[in-house]
Structure formats: C-alpha cells, structure tokens
Amino acid sequence: MTFDAVAYKATTRQQWEDAAEAWHRWGPTLEQWLGAATEAMLDAAGVGRGARVLDVAGGAGGQSMAAARRTGPAGSVVVTDVSPAILSYAQRAADESGLRQVTTCEVDGEEIGSRWSGEFDAAISRLGLIYFPDRARALHGIRSSLGEGGRFAAIVYSAAERNAFFSVPVALIRSRAGLAAPLPGQPGPFSLSDPASARDALTGAGFRDVRVETMDAPLLLPSAADCLRFERESFGALHQMLSGVGEDERERIWADIESALREYETEGGFVGPCELHVVSGSR
C-alpha cells in the first residue's frame, strides 16, 4: 500500500487536536520523564540568555518554557505546531508563567523554510522530528531558519527494544489489529532510532558538527495502570492504530497492554524502559 502523506498529516493534526487537553494535563509527568533530555537538548542547541529560539512541533510547550527561562526577557521563543488546540495550551502556560517572550504559530514543520530565513539562533524539536513524512524538507527548512552558526537539536527515541513502555503497546496493537510494519523511510516513533541514521539525516540537510548523545530516560509512574492511562489519554497515535478495531476487542487490547506492562513494575513503582537520542548540528 502506498503511503499517503496528505492523509497522514490530516490524521496527525486531528490526533493532537483530540489529545491536546490530556497532553497538557499530563505535563508534570512529561517534564519529569523528559526533563534531563530537554536540558541536554537545550545545551546542544546553545540556548542561552538573549537567544532567539524556534521550537518545531512544540506541542503543549514544556520544552518551550524551559527554553524561555534560559533566554530571559531579552530573548524569544516561537512555538510551532500543526494543532491550534495544543498551541493554545502552550500559550496559556507561558502567560501564566509570565514568559512574555513566548509566542505560538500554527505551521507545518515541513513549511518552516518558507516561513523564516536566518531569524533564529537556535532551533529545537522534542519528539517531533520523527513524525514528519518529508523529514529532509523539514530539516532543510529548519537549517535555513537559523542564522550562520545557529544550532539545531532534537530528541528522538532510540531502538524499540530500548523503549518498551511505548514499543510494547505499539507491537501488541499492530499484531491484534493486523497492521503491517512501517516501510523504511516512513514516519514513526522509531524512525530515527539508529544513531547513524539520525546523524545522516542532519548531515544530508547540510548541518555541520553533527553529534548524537544517547540518554537513559525511564518513565517513572506508580503502576502499569498509570502508564496505560497516560498513553491511552495522551498518545493519539495508538488510538489511530486501533481505529479499525471493534470496541469490545479494543478494550481487550488495552487490558492486555496493561498486563504486558506489569513486567516493568517494581517495589518502588513502574519503571518504563526508555532511551533517547539527542541529535544536534550547526548551520
């Protein structure tokens, strides 16, 4: 079956429109889980006082707020996404935090190059780059949005077997729903899991001094049931994968996912295996 990028984008936009409130509500969990990797991403992008920062596929903006706290009022952070609903939560969070240097812009990440040219000192993308159908176009656009010497850094998942908190549900749903594995080059959570592929993607777009840092980032929650609730409420892609499954079977699949995730429960709570790459380069 031929991959339909237009349909994929429309579905992705709707997923985030539907999941926006939940993604915002789970914000404290997201920042606890991704906080260390986010700081590493901001370091790799060179985000500091007075920097002008572009956040690509920024979602509810947790990393945008972290960037804005670094830039201070003399800098700026533009948060982009395809979902106006999720951007509204990012703007609200910035306003409530007094971060007036944060603004939002509804734009497809693949259109960055037609929107900006040389305006930014740094660009970031937290778990967004992996979902672009035309990643090369997105990366070329991000590079062109940077001034000379500006840096880009992104967080992506490493190999599926190192990210069981997410890959276990994905594999189980794919099997039970009769879905084929993604074809090479298609977007998806593990599409840049190979460090060499991640490095080549940035190098191919013209970035220099490309680096890949791998980090352990376990998802810590009270129980497997909490992990299931987090993913069921916030991960729209899982619902999209289940769209062709009847309601009764869908509930059985969710129950089986929780059962499978119990493998990662410990005396201290749920420890969901997760490993991330921070990939970066300069213009």
mmCIF file of all heavy atoms in Angstrom, residues 190-242:
data_model
loop_
_atom_site.group_PDB
_atom_site.id
_atom_site.type_symbol
_atom_site.label_atom_id
_atom_site.label_comp_id
_atom_site.label_asym_id
_atom_site.label_seq_id
_atom_site.Cartn_x
_atom_site.Cartn_y
_atom_site.Cartn_z
ATOM 1 N N PHE A 190 10.103 5.214 15.970
ATOM 2 C CA PHE A 190 11.460 4.669 15.953
ATOM 3 C C PHE A 190 12.156 4.883 14.605
ATOM 4 O O PHE A 190 13.099 4.176 14.257
ATOM 5 C CB PHE A 190 11.414 3.192 16.334
ATOM 6 C CG PHE A 190 10.667 2.964 17.623
ATOM 7 C CD1 PHE A 190 9.442 2.284 17.642
ATOM 8 C CD2 PHE A 190 11.144 3.476 18.821
ATOM 9 C CE1 PHE A 190 8.736 2.117 18.822
ATOM 10 C CE2 PHE A 190 10.448 3.308 20.013
ATOM 11 C CZ PHE A 190 9.245 2.631 20.012
ATOM 12 N N SER A 191 11.690 5.873 13.871
ATOM 13 C CA SER A 191 12.214 6.109 12.521
ATOM 14 C C SER A 191 13.623 6.694 12.512
ATOM 15 O O SER A 191 14.285 6.690 11.470
ATOM 16 C CB SER A 191 11.261 7.019 11.744
ATOM 17 O OG SER A 191 11.069 8.255 12.420
ATOM 18 N N LEU A 192 14.110 7.206 13.649
ATOM 19 C CA LEU A 192 15.485 7.697 13.745
ATOM 20 C C LEU A 192 16.213 7.007 14.895
ATOM 21 O O LEU A 192 17.094 7.592 15.536
ATOM 22 C CB LEU A 192 15.508 9.217 13.930
ATOM 23 C CG LEU A 192 15.160 10.053 12.690
ATOM 24 C CD1 LEU A 192 15.078 11.529 13.038
ATOM 25 C CD2 LEU A 192 16.176 9.822 11.576
ATOM 26 N N SER A 193 15.842 5.762 15.151
ATOM 27 C CA SER A 193 16.389 5.041 16.297
ATOM 28 C C SER A 193 17.854 4.676 16.127
ATOM 29 O O SER A 193 18.591 4.553 17.112
ATOM 30 C CB SER A 193 15.567 3.780 16.562
ATOM 31 O OG SER A 193 15.603 2.904 15.444
ATOM 32 N N ASP A 194 18.294 4.511 14.902
ATOM 33 C CA ASP A 194 19.691 4.189 14.619
ATOM 34 C C ASP A 194 20.511 5.480 14.659
ATOM 35 O O ASP A 194 20.244 6.401 13.881
ATOM 36 C CB ASP A 194 19.804 3.534 13.249
ATOM 37 C CG ASP A 194 21.230 3.222 12.841
ATOM 38 O OD1 ASP A 194 22.141 3.356 13.691
ATOM 39 O OD2 ASP A 194 21.442 2.843 11.684
ATOM 40 N N PRO A 195 21.499 5.592 15.550
ATOM 41 C CA PRO A 195 22.283 6.830 15.622
ATOM 42 C C PRO A 195 22.880 7.241 14.276
ATOM 43 O O PRO A 195 22.945 8.440 13.963
ATOM 44 C CB PRO A 195 23.378 6.498 16.641
ATOM 45 C CG PRO A 195 22.789 5.426 17.500
ATOM 46 C CD PRO A 195 21.924 4.617 16.571
ATOM 47 N N ALA A 196 23.289 6.264 13.478
ATOM 48 C CA ALA A 196 23.862 6.587 12.166
ATOM 49 C C ALA A 196 22.814 7.232 11.261
ATOM 50 O O ALA A 196 23.109 8.184 10.523
ATOM 51 C CB ALA A 196 24.424 5.332 11.513
ATOM 52 N N SER A 197 21.585 6.732 11.316
ATOM 53 C CA SER A 197 20.506 7.311 10.510
ATOM 54 C C SER A 197 20.183 8.727 10.958
ATOM 55 O O SER A 197 19.947 9.624 10.132
ATOM 56 C CB SER A 197 19.252 6.444 10.599
ATOM 57 O OG SER A 197 19.472 5.169 10.042
ATOM 58 N N ALA A 198 20.162 8.930 12.274
ATOM 59 C CA ALA A 198 19.901 10.266 12.812
ATOM 60 C C ALA A 198 20.996 11.231 12.377
ATOM 61 O O ALA A 198 20.727 12.368 11.947
ATOM 62 C CB ALA A 198 19.815 10.208 14.328
ATOM 63 N N ARG A 199 22.224 10.773 12.456
ATOM 64 C CA ARG A 199 23.369 11.604 12.058
ATOM 65 C C ARG A 199 23.295 11.916 10.553
ATOM 66 O O ARG A 199 23.499 13.068 10.142
ATOM 67 C CB ARG A 199 24.660 10.856 12.399
ATOM 68 C CG ARG A 199 25.911 11.722 12.414
ATOM 69 C CD ARG A 199 27.118 10.915 12.867
ATOM 70 N NE ARG A 199 27.064 10.588 14.291
ATOM 71 C CZ ARG A 199 26.896 9.360 14.783
ATOM 72 N NH1 ARG A 199 26.764 8.330 13.958
ATOM 73 N NH2 ARG A 199 26.869 9.151 16.078
ATOM 74 N N ASP A 200 22.980 10.902 9.767
ATOM 75 C CA ASP A 200 22.912 11.093 8.310
ATOM 76 C C ASP A 200 21.787 12.054 7.921
ATOM 77 O O ASP A 200 21.922 12.801 6.938
ATOM 78 C CB ASP A 200 22.697 9.749 7.613
ATOM 79 C CG ASP A 200 23.929 8.857 7.658
ATOM 80 O OD1 ASP A 200 25.014 9.349 8.021
ATOM 81 O OD2 ASP A 200 23.790 7.660 7.343
ATOM 82 N N ALA A 201 20.677 12.010 8.663
ATOM 83 C CA ALA A 201 19.556 12.889 8.345
ATOM 84 C C ALA A 201 19.961 14.357 8.459
ATOM 85 O O ALA A 201 19.640 15.175 7.595
ATOM 86 C CB ALA A 201 18.376 12.589 9.270
ATOM 87 N N LEU A 202 20.698 14.696 9.524
ATOM 88 C CA LEU A 202 21.128 16.079 9.697
ATOM 89 C C LEU A 202 22.246 16.438 8.724
ATOM 90 O O LEU A 202 22.231 17.520 8.123
ATOM 91 C CB LEU A 202 21.583 16.320 11.142
ATOM 92 C CG LEU A 202 20.484 16.878 12.080
ATOM 93 C CD1 LEU A 202 19.373 15.847 12.266
ATOM 94 C CD2 LEU A 202 21.060 17.325 13.405
ATOM 95 N N THR A 203 23.189 15.526 8.537
ATOM 96 C CA THR A 203 24.283 15.789 7.604
ATOM 97 C C THR A 203 23.752 16.001 6.188
ATOM 98 O O THR A 203 24.204 16.895 5.459
ATOM 99 C CB THR A 203 25.288 14.630 7.617
ATOM 100 O OG1 THR A 203 25.803 14.469 8.945
ATOM 101 C CG2 THR A 203 26.443 14.891 6.666
ATOM 102 N N GLY A 204 22.773 15.185 5.802
ATOM 103 C CA GLY A 204 22.186 15.299 4.477
ATOM 104 C C GLY A 204 21.478 16.613 4.242
ATOM 105 O O GLY A 204 21.316 17.044 3.091
ATOM 106 N N ALA A 205 21.023 17.252 5.335
ATOM 107 C CA ALA A 205 20.351 18.553 5.222
ATOM 108 C C ALA A 205 21.342 19.712 5.288
ATOM 109 O O ALA A 205 20.939 20.879 5.252
ATOM 110 C CB ALA A 205 19.313 18.703 6.322
ATOM 111 N N GLY A 206 22.633 19.390 5.395
ATOM 112 C CA GLY A 206 23.647 20.428 5.374
ATOM 113 C C GLY A 206 24.168 20.867 6.728
ATOM 114 O O GLY A 206 24.976 21.796 6.821
ATOM 115 N N PHE A 207 23.719 20.216 7.809
ATOM 116 C CA PHE A 207 24.220 20.583 9.134
ATOM 117 C C PHE A 207 25.661 20.105 9.296
ATOM 118 O O PHE A 207 26.054 19.059 8.760
ATOM 119 C CB PHE A 207 23.355 19.969 10.233
ATOM 120 C CG PHE A 207 22.028 20.662 10.417
ATOM 121 C CD1 PHE A 207 20.880 20.159 9.809
ATOM 122 C CD2 PHE A 207 21.934 21.814 11.178
ATOM 123 C CE1 PHE A 207 19.655 20.796 9.974
ATOM 124 C CE2 PHE A 207 20.711 22.463 11.341
ATOM 125 C CZ PHE A 207 19.575 21.958 10.746
ATOM 126 N N ARG A 208 26.434 20.869 10.053
ATOM 127 C CA ARG A 208 27.830 20.534 10.348
ATOM 128 C C ARG A 208 27.958 20.168 11.829
ATOM 129 O O ARG A 208 27.042 20.406 12.613
ATOM 130 C CB ARG A 208 28.737 21.729 10.037
ATOM 131 C CG ARG A 208 28.736 22.159 8.584
ATOM 132 C CD ARG A 208 29.599 23.406 8.358
ATOM 133 N NE ARG A 208 29.001 24.590 8.962
ATOM 134 C CZ ARG A 208 29.420 25.184 10.069
ATOM 135 N NH1 ARG A 208 30.464 24.691 10.724
ATOM 136 N NH2 ARG A 208 28.833 26.255 10.544
ATOM 137 N N ASP A 209 29.080 19.626 12.193
ATOM 138 C CA ASP A 209 29.368 19.295 13.595
ATOM 139 C C ASP A 209 28.202 18.497 14.207
ATOM 140 O O ASP A 209 27.711 18.805 15.286
ATOM 141 C CB ASP A 209 29.617 20.579 14.394
ATOM 142 C CG ASP A 209 30.068 20.318 15.830
ATOM 143 O OD1 ASP A 209 30.681 19.253 16.068
ATOM 144 O OD2 ASP A 209 29.786 21.159 16.700
ATOM 145 N N VAL A 210 27.753 17.480 13.486
ATOM 146 C CA VAL A 210 26.595 16.693 13.932
ATOM 147 C C VAL A 210 27.011 15.728 15.046
ATOM 148 O O VAL A 210 28.013 15.028 14.927
ATOM 149 C CB VAL A 210 25.965 15.922 12.753
ATOM 150 C CG1 VAL A 210 24.825 15.035 13.239
ATOM 151 C CG2 VAL A 210 25.468 16.899 11.696
ATOM 152 N N ARG A 211 26.227 15.722 16.114
ATOM 153 C CA ARG A 211 26.513 14.885 17.273
ATOM 154 C C ARG A 211 25.255 14.113 17.677
ATOM 155 O O ARG A 211 24.141 14.589 17.479
ATOM 156 C CB ARG A 211 26.968 15.740 18.460
ATOM 157 C CG ARG A 211 28.069 16.734 18.147
ATOM 158 C CD ARG A 211 28.286 17.702 19.296
ATOM 159 N NE ARG A 211 29.182 18.791 18.924
ATOM 160 C CZ ARG A 211 29.411 19.851 19.694
ATOM 161 N NH1 ARG A 211 28.806 19.958 20.870
ATOM 162 N NH2 ARG A 211 30.251 20.800 19.284
ATOM 163 N N VAL A 212 25.464 12.952 18.289
ATOM 164 C CA VAL A 212 24.355 12.167 18.841
ATOM 165 C C VAL A 212 24.738 11.744 20.255
ATOM 166 O O VAL A 212 25.760 11.094 20.453
ATOM 167 C CB VAL A 212 24.037 10.915 17.991
ATOM 168 C CG1 VAL A 212 22.887 10.125 18.625
ATOM 169 C CG2 VAL A 212 23.678 11.307 16.559
ATOM 170 N N GLU A 213 23.927 12.158 21.220
ATOM 171 C CA GLU A 213 24.119 11.767 22.614
ATOM 172 C C GLU A 213 22.960 10.864 23.016
ATOM 173 O O GLU A 213 21.796 11.218 22.808
ATOM 174 C CB GLU A 213 24.149 12.999 23.517
ATOM 175 C CG GLU A 213 24.270 12.677 24.997
ATOM 176 C CD GLU A 213 24.162 13.900 25.895
ATOM 177 O OE1 GLU A 213 23.964 15.014 25.374
ATOM 178 O OE2 GLU A 213 24.277 13.737 27.132
ATOM 179 N N THR A 214 23.258 9.709 23.572
ATOM 180 C CA THR A 214 22.219 8.756 23.984
ATOM 181 C C THR A 214 22.044 8.818 25.498
ATOM 182 O O THR A 214 23.021 8.825 26.247
ATOM 183 C CB THR A 214 22.596 7.334 23.548
ATOM 184 O OG1 THR A 214 22.750 7.316 22.121
ATOM 185 C CG2 THR A 214 21.516 6.342 23.943
ATOM 186 N N MET A 215 20.774 8.871 25.934
ATOM 187 C CA MET A 215 20.469 9.047 27.346
ATOM 188 C C MET A 215 19.406 8.049 27.810
ATOM 189 O O MET A 215 18.434 7.788 27.089
ATOM 190 C CB MET A 215 19.939 10.457 27.614
ATOM 191 C CG MET A 215 20.841 11.577 27.180
ATOM 192 S SD MET A 215 20.121 13.192 27.561
ATOM 193 C CE MET A 215 20.034 13.132 29.361
ATOM 194 N N ASP A 216 19.578 7.543 28.997
ATOM 195 C CA ASP A 216 18.544 6.728 29.632
ATOM 196 C C ASP A 216 17.496 7.667 30.208
ATOM 197 O O ASP A 216 17.836 8.651 30.881
ATOM 198 C CB ASP A 216 19.171 5.876 30.741
ATOM 199 C CG ASP A 216 18.241 4.792 31.233
ATOM 200 O OD1 ASP A 216 17.474 4.247 30.414
ATOM 201 O OD2 ASP A 216 18.268 4.487 32.442
ATOM 202 N N ALA A 217 16.222 7.406 29.944
ATOM 203 C CA ALA A 217 15.144 8.291 30.398
ATOM 204 C C ALA A 217 13.933 7.467 30.807
ATOM 205 O O ALA A 217 12.876 7.529 30.178
ATOM 206 C CB ALA A 217 14.773 9.277 29.295
ATOM 207 N N PRO A 218 14.036 6.662 31.872
ATOM 208 C CA PRO A 218 12.919 5.808 32.259
ATOM 209 C C PRO A 218 11.672 6.613 32.610
ATOM 210 O O PRO A 218 11.766 7.708 33.181
ATOM 211 C CB PRO A 218 13.462 5.058 33.483
ATOM 212 C CG PRO A 218 14.544 5.939 34.013
ATOM 213 C CD PRO A 218 15.164 6.577 32.805
ATOM 214 N N LEU A 219 10.532 6.072 32.242
ATOM 215 C CA LEU A 219 9.247 6.679 32.591
ATOM 216 C C LEU A 219 8.830 6.128 33.947
ATOM 217 O O LEU A 219 8.550 4.926 34.072
ATOM 218 C CB LEU A 219 8.204 6.352 31.519
ATOM 219 C CG LEU A 219 6.774 6.817 31.804
ATOM 220 C CD1 LEU A 219 6.702 8.335 31.926
ATOM 221 C CD2 LEU A 219 5.821 6.320 30.711
ATOM 222 N N LEU A 220 8.793 6.969 34.972
ATOM 223 C CA LEU A 220 8.511 6.543 36.335
ATOM 224 C C LEU A 220 7.091 6.927 36.721
ATOM 225 O O LEU A 220 6.717 8.110 36.695
ATOM 226 C CB LEU A 220 9.507 7.199 37.308
ATOM 227 C CG LEU A 220 10.997 7.010 36.977
ATOM 228 C CD1 LEU A 220 11.857 7.751 37.988
ATOM 229 C CD2 LEU A 220 11.352 5.532 36.933
ATOM 230 N N LEU A 221 6.290 5.924 37.067
ATOM 231 C CA LEU A 221 4.897 6.125 37.457
ATOM 232 C C LEU A 221 4.565 5.150 38.591
ATOM 233 O O LEU A 221 5.298 4.185 38.819
ATOM 234 C CB LEU A 221 3.971 5.891 36.257
ATOM 235 C CG LEU A 221 4.006 6.962 35.161
ATOM 236 C CD1 LEU A 221 3.346 6.456 33.895
ATOM 237 C CD2 LEU A 221 3.336 8.244 35.636
ATOM 238 N N PRO A 222 3.461 5.374 39.300
ATOM 239 C CA PRO A 222 3.129 4.476 40.403
ATOM 240 C C PRO A 222 2.890 3.025 39.983
ATOM 241 O O PRO A 222 3.213 2.101 40.728
ATOM 242 C CB PRO A 222 1.860 5.093 41.008
ATOM 243 C CG PRO A 222 1.955 6.544 40.662
ATOM 244 C CD PRO A 222 2.591 6.574 39.299
ATOM 245 N N SER A 223 2.318 2.812 38.788
ATOM 246 C CA SER A 223 1.962 1.453 38.386
ATOM 247 C C SER A 223 1.832 1.347 36.876
ATOM 248 O O SER A 223 1.796 2.358 36.158
ATOM 249 C CB SER A 223 0.624 1.062 39.019
ATOM 250 O OG SER A 223 -0.433 1.843 38.461
ATOM 251 N N ALA A 224 1.725 0.112 36.391
ATOM 252 C CA ALA A 224 1.483 -0.124 34.968
ATOM 253 C C ALA A 224 0.139 0.461 34.551
ATOM 254 O O ALA A 224 -0.016 0.940 33.423
ATOM 255 C CB ALA A 224 1.527 -1.617 34.673
ATOM 256 N N ALA A 225 -0.814 0.428 35.461
ATOM 257 C CA ALA A 225 -2.132 1.001 35.160
ATOM 258 C C ALA A 225 -2.020 2.498 34.884
ATOM 259 O O ALA A 225 -2.717 3.032 34.015
ATOM 260 C CB ALA A 225 -3.094 0.746 36.313
ATOM 261 N N ASP A 226 -1.133 3.179 35.612
ATOM 262 C CA ASP A 226 -0.940 4.608 35.375
ATOM 263 C C ASP A 226 -0.268 4.848 34.029
ATOM 264 O O ASP A 226 -0.589 5.813 33.328
ATOM 265 C CB ASP A 226 -0.099 5.209 36.493
ATOM 266 C CG ASP A 226 -0.858 5.286 37.802
ATOM 267 O OD1 ASP A 226 -1.788 6.095 37.906
ATOM 268 O OD2 ASP A 226 -0.533 4.517 38.720
ATOM 269 N N CYS A 227 0.677 3.970 33.660
ATOM 270 C CA CYS A 227 1.304 4.095 32.347
ATOM 271 C C CYS A 227 0.271 3.919 31.243
ATOM 272 O O CYS A 227 0.245 4.671 30.272
ATOM 273 C CB CYS A 227 2.429 3.061 32.202
ATOM 274 S SG CYS A 227 3.278 3.158 30.595
ATOM 275 N N LEU A 228 -0.586 2.917 31.402
ATOM 276 C CA LEU A 228 -1.636 2.697 30.408
ATOM 277 C C LEU A 228 -2.540 3.923 30.300
ATOM 278 O O LEU A 228 -2.880 4.360 29.196
ATOM 279 C CB LEU A 228 -2.474 1.469 30.787
ATOM 280 C CG LEU A 228 -3.627 1.189 29.818
ATOM 281 C CD1 LEU A 228 -3.093 0.605 28.525
ATOM 282 C CD2 LEU A 228 -4.656 0.243 30.428
ATOM 283 N N ARG A 229 -2.911 4.507 31.439
ATOM 284 C CA ARG A 229 -3.793 5.675 31.423
ATOM 285 C C ARG A 229 -3.103 6.847 30.740
ATOM 286 O O ARG A 229 -3.713 7.553 29.930
ATOM 287 C CB ARG A 229 -4.183 6.036 32.860
ATOM 288 C CG ARG A 229 -5.238 7.129 32.958
ATOM 289 C CD ARG A 229 -5.911 7.117 34.327
ATOM 290 N NE ARG A 229 -4.951 7.343 35.400
ATOM 291 C CZ ARG A 229 -4.615 8.554 35.859
ATOM 292 N NH1 ARG A 229 -5.162 9.639 35.328
ATOM 293 N NH2 ARG A 229 -3.768 8.687 36.851
ATOM 294 N N PHE A 230 -1.829 7.040 31.042
ATOM 295 C CA PHE A 230 -1.050 8.107 30.409
ATOM 296 C C PHE A 230 -1.046 7.942 28.888
ATOM 297 O O PHE A 230 -1.347 8.882 28.138
ATOM 298 C CB PHE A 230 0.373 8.072 30.971
ATOM 299 C CG PHE A 230 1.370 8.948 30.270
ATOM 300 C CD1 PHE A 230 1.086 10.272 29.973
ATOM 301 C CD2 PHE A 230 2.630 8.452 29.924
ATOM 302 C CE1 PHE A 230 2.026 11.089 29.337
ATOM 303 C CE2 PHE A 230 3.566 9.248 29.292
ATOM 304 C CZ PHE A 230 3.265 10.565 29.001
ATOM 305 N N GLU A 231 -0.740 6.755 28.409
ATOM 306 C CA GLU A 231 -0.659 6.526 26.969
ATOM 307 C C GLU A 231 -2.042 6.534 26.319
ATOM 308 O O GLU A 231 -2.212 7.064 25.218
ATOM 309 C CB GLU A 231 0.060 5.209 26.702
ATOM 310 C CG GLU A 231 1.506 5.229 27.174
ATOM 311 C CD GLU A 231 2.300 4.023 26.714
ATOM 312 O OE1 GLU A 231 2.037 3.521 25.613
ATOM 313 O OE2 GLU A 231 3.179 3.576 27.465
ATOM 314 N N ARG A 232 -3.014 5.964 27.015
ATOM 315 C CA ARG A 232 -4.360 5.904 26.445
ATOM 316 C C ARG A 232 -4.963 7.301 26.299
ATOM 317 O O ARG A 232 -5.669 7.580 25.328
ATOM 318 C CB ARG A 232 -5.254 5.022 27.317
ATOM 319 C CG ARG A 232 -6.624 4.766 26.726
ATOM 320 C CD ARG A 232 -7.350 3.680 27.491
ATOM 321 N NE ARG A 232 -8.662 3.436 26.904
ATOM 322 C CZ ARG A 232 -9.484 2.461 27.264
ATOM 323 N NH1 ARG A 232 -9.113 1.616 28.229
ATOM 324 N NH2 ARG A 232 -10.645 2.300 26.676
ATOM 325 N N GLU A 233 -4.671 8.176 27.241
ATOM 326 C CA GLU A 233 -5.238 9.519 27.197
ATOM 327 C C GLU A 233 -4.443 10.459 26.286
ATOM 328 O O GLU A 233 -5.024 11.361 25.677
ATOM 329 C CB GLU A 233 -5.287 10.113 28.612
ATOM 330 C CG GLU A 233 -6.277 9.413 29.528
ATOM 331 C CD GLU A 233 -6.313 10.010 30.924
ATOM 332 O OE1 GLU A 233 -5.632 11.031 31.164
ATOM 333 O OE2 GLU A 233 -7.024 9.453 31.782
ATOM 334 N N SER A 234 -3.125 10.248 26.204
ATOM 335 C CA SER A 234 -2.265 11.249 25.569
ATOM 336 C C SER A 234 -1.685 10.865 24.218
ATOM 337 O O SER A 234 -1.318 11.745 23.447
ATOM 338 C CB SER A 234 -1.094 11.582 26.506
ATOM 339 O OG SER A 234 -1.545 11.968 27.772
ATOM 340 N N PHE A 235 -1.561 9.562 23.943
ATOM 341 C CA PHE A 235 -0.869 9.124 22.736
ATOM 342 C C PHE A 235 -1.890 8.849 21.628
ATOM 343 O O PHE A 235 -2.349 7.731 21.431
ATOM 344 C CB PHE A 235 -0.032 7.870 23.013
ATOM 345 C CG PHE A 235 1.219 8.126 23.816
ATOM 346 C CD1 PHE A 235 1.178 8.896 24.966
ATOM 347 C CD2 PHE A 235 2.426 7.588 23.438
ATOM 348 C CE1 PHE A 235 2.317 9.140 25.722
ATOM 349 C CE2 PHE A 235 3.578 7.822 24.173
ATOM 350 C CZ PHE A 235 3.520 8.606 25.315
ATOM 351 N N GLY A 236 -2.199 9.887 20.876
ATOM 352 C CA GLY A 236 -3.220 9.764 19.847
ATOM 353 C C GLY A 236 -2.899 8.736 18.789
ATOM 354 O O GLY A 236 -3.805 8.142 18.189
ATOM 355 N N ALA A 237 -1.616 8.487 18.542
ATOM 356 C CA ALA A 237 -1.233 7.520 17.509
ATOM 357 C C ALA A 237 -1.744 6.124 17.830
ATOM 358 O O ALA A 237 -2.104 5.353 16.922
ATOM 359 C CB ALA A 237 0.285 7.486 17.352
ATOM 360 N N LEU A 238 -1.812 5.778 19.112
ATOM 361 C CA LEU A 238 -2.316 4.455 19.494
ATOM 362 C C LEU A 238 -3.796 4.331 19.148
ATOM 363 O O LEU A 238 -4.251 3.272 18.699
ATOM 364 C CB LEU A 238 -2.091 4.213 20.992
ATOM 365 C CG LEU A 238 -0.630 4.227 21.454
ATOM 366 C CD1 LEU A 238 -0.553 3.952 22.951
ATOM 367 C CD2 LEU A 238 0.204 3.208 20.683
ATOM 368 N N HIS A 239 -4.543 5.389 19.356
ATOM 369 C CA HIS A 239 -5.970 5.362 19.009
ATOM 370 C C HIS A 239 -6.153 5.257 17.496
ATOM 371 O O HIS A 239 -7.069 4.564 17.017
ATOM 372 C CB HIS A 239 -6.668 6.611 19.552
ATOM 373 C CG HIS A 239 -6.837 6.606 21.030
ATOM 374 N ND1 HIS A 239 -7.870 5.947 21.665
ATOM 375 C CD2 HIS A 239 -6.075 7.134 22.012
ATOM 376 C CE1 HIS A 239 -7.750 6.094 22.971
ATOM 377 N NE2 HIS A 239 -6.671 6.808 23.213
ATOM 378 N N GLN A 240 -5.282 5.942 16.754
ATOM 379 C CA GLN A 240 -5.375 5.855 15.305
ATOM 380 C C GLN A 240 -5.132 4.428 14.841
ATOM 381 O O GLN A 240 -5.810 3.923 13.940
ATOM 382 C CB GLN A 240 -4.370 6.824 14.672
ATOM 383 C CG GLN A 240 -4.605 7.090 13.193
ATOM 384 C CD GLN A 240 -3.983 6.025 12.301
ATOM 385 O OE1 GLN A 240 -2.989 5.392 12.691
ATOM 386 N NE2 GLN A 240 -4.552 5.814 11.134
ATOM 387 N N MET A 241 -4.163 3.751 15.468
ATOM 388 C CA MET A 241 -3.869 2.364 15.114
ATOM 389 C C MET A 241 -5.048 1.444 15.421
ATOM 390 O O MET A 241 -5.241 0.423 14.763
ATOM 391 C CB MET A 241 -2.635 1.886 15.872
ATOM 392 C CG MET A 241 -1.337 2.556 15.437
ATOM 393 S SD MET A 241 0.061 2.070 16.487
ATOM 394 C CE MET A 241 0.246 0.333 15.972
ATOM 395 N N LEU A 242 -5.856 1.820 16.416
ATOM 396 C CA LEU A 242 -6.991 0.990 16.830
ATOM 397 C C LEU A 242 -8.297 1.364 16.127
ATOM 398 O O LEU A 242 -9.341 0.766 16.420
ATOM 399 C CB LEU A 242 -7.200 1.118 18.350
ATOM 400 C CG LEU A 242 -6.212 0.351 19.240
ATOM 401 C CD1 LEU A 242 -6.299 0.859 20.671
ATOM 402 C CD2 LEU A 242 -6.496 -1.139 19.182
#
